[in-house]
Amino acid sequence: DAKTTQPPSMDCAEGRAANLPCNHSTISGNEYVYWYRQIHSQGPQYIIHGLKNNETNEMASLIITEDRKSSTLILPHATLRDTAVYYCIVRVTDKLIFGTGTRLQVFP
Amino acid sequence: DAGVTQSPTHLIKTRGQHVTLRCSPISGHKSVSWYQQVLGQGPQFIFQYYEKEERGRGNFPDRFSARQFPNYSSELNVNALLLGDSALYLCASSGTNYGYTFGSGTRLTVV
């Protein structure tokens, strides 16, 4: 069973920040949150992951609430190529539990 | 460096047949996982292998089996194919930094 809940779709204007929310209220203390995206049924592409602290890399930032029950993926300057399905995932031992994802549409 | 390689890329099989899908992990990665993605849904975990041993199994029937070879490549086998087995089958390899890299998948169509 999925451990994450995401809105099914979101829109974002090109050049603006895209903020994708995720609820994972049943997450356990040692379970990581991962974000992947998938374009046109290609293999999922890794974006970022974290446990407790906020994380940032060249692609995105991950903000995790203090109680760890929710997180937000931030794409700081969305481009048309960021249009994809974004999955918020909880890693349970060595398996990734995917939800249904958010379809992000970036428009000009 | 080559990423995760899966073969074949596309496959059409008839109900009742058997299929073998193959995966080569990133060099140095000892763990391989398999996922099934039905159209419109997120990937679902099938198996995980590490150092040739099964470390995890998802909620799939016994018709699904897998193995990992000494070079860490892996095969996923599905027997007695059903129409509902039509899906994108994804392989992911991981090393020691908790990162999982997915291949492009094998698109299986059962007719």
Side-chain angles (χ1 to χ4, degrees):
Chain A
D1 292 336
K3 299 190 73 169
T4 61
T5 304
Q6 300 176 252
S9 64
M10 294 182 65
D11 291 338
C12 179
E14 190 176 21
R16 303 297 294 269
N19 295 275
L20 289 82
C22 178
N23 288 321
H24 30 78
S25 58
T26 61
I27 195 169
S28 298
N30 61 347
E31 293 173 346
Y32 281 76
V33 177
Y34 282 71
W35 283 83
Y36 278 75
R37 70 182 183 185
Q38 191 172 29
I39 300 172
H40 294 148
S41 290
Q42 298 174 14
Q45 177 191 21
Y46 170 82
I47 302 174
I48 200 166
H49 76 281
L51 183 62
K52 299 179 185 177
N53 300 321
N54 298 337
E55 303 287 345
T56 297
N57 61 22
E58 65 278 5
M59 289 183 69
S61 295
L62 173 61
I63 309 299
I64 302 174
T65 57
E66 191 169 345
D67 63 7
R68 300 212 327 121
K69 292 187 177 182
S70 66
S71 61
T72 300
L73 178 74
I74 301 172
L75 307 179
H77 304 288
T79 71
L80 298 178
R81 288 183 294 180
D82 291 324
T83 292
V85 177
Y86 286 76
Y87 291 102
C88 173
I89 297 158
V90 171
R91 181 170 70 89
V92 177
T93 55
D94 285 320
K95 65 181 178 183
L96 301 177
I97 309 296
F98 286 76
T100 52
T102 295
R103 182 172 296 279
L104 176 68
Q105 179 69 53
V106 180
F107 58 91
Chain B
D1 288 339
V4 177
T5 304
Q6 292 188 243
S7 63
T9 55
H10 296 83
L11 199 54
I12 299 175
K13 289 286 191 177
T14 304
R15 278 179 298 175
Q17 284 189 315
H18 163 91
V19 68
T20 297
L21 310 181
R22 296 177 174 82
C23 172
S24 293
I26 289 174
S27 177
H29 285 189
K30 298 181 180 180
S31 176
V32 170
S33 302
W34 288 94
Y35 290 78
Q36 180 197 64
Q37 186 174 24
V38 174
L39 194 63
Q41 297 181 18
Q44 299 296 307
F45 173 78
I46 311 176
F47 286 110
Q48 193 237 347
Y49 276 78
Y50 178 76
E51 290 274 19
K52 300 177 297 244
E53 291 191 3
E54 182 183 303
R55 289 293 187 90
R57 173 185 284 256
N59 188 24
F60 280 81
D62 292 343
R63 298 185 296 108
F64 288 76
S65 64
R67 56 180 176 168
Q68 187 177 31
F69 299 99
N71 66 353
Y72 304 113
S73 67
S74 178
E75 285 183 353
L76 176 69
N77 295 284
V78 187
N79 292 323
L81 284 167
L82 304 173
L83 295 179
D85 295 330
S86 295
L88 180 67
Y89 288 85
L90 295 160
C91 172
S93 77
S94 60
T96 57
N97 65 350
Y98 300 105
Y100 297 79
T101 303
F102 283 83
S104 297
T106 294
R107 172 74 60 190
L108 173 66
T109 302
V110 182
V111 297

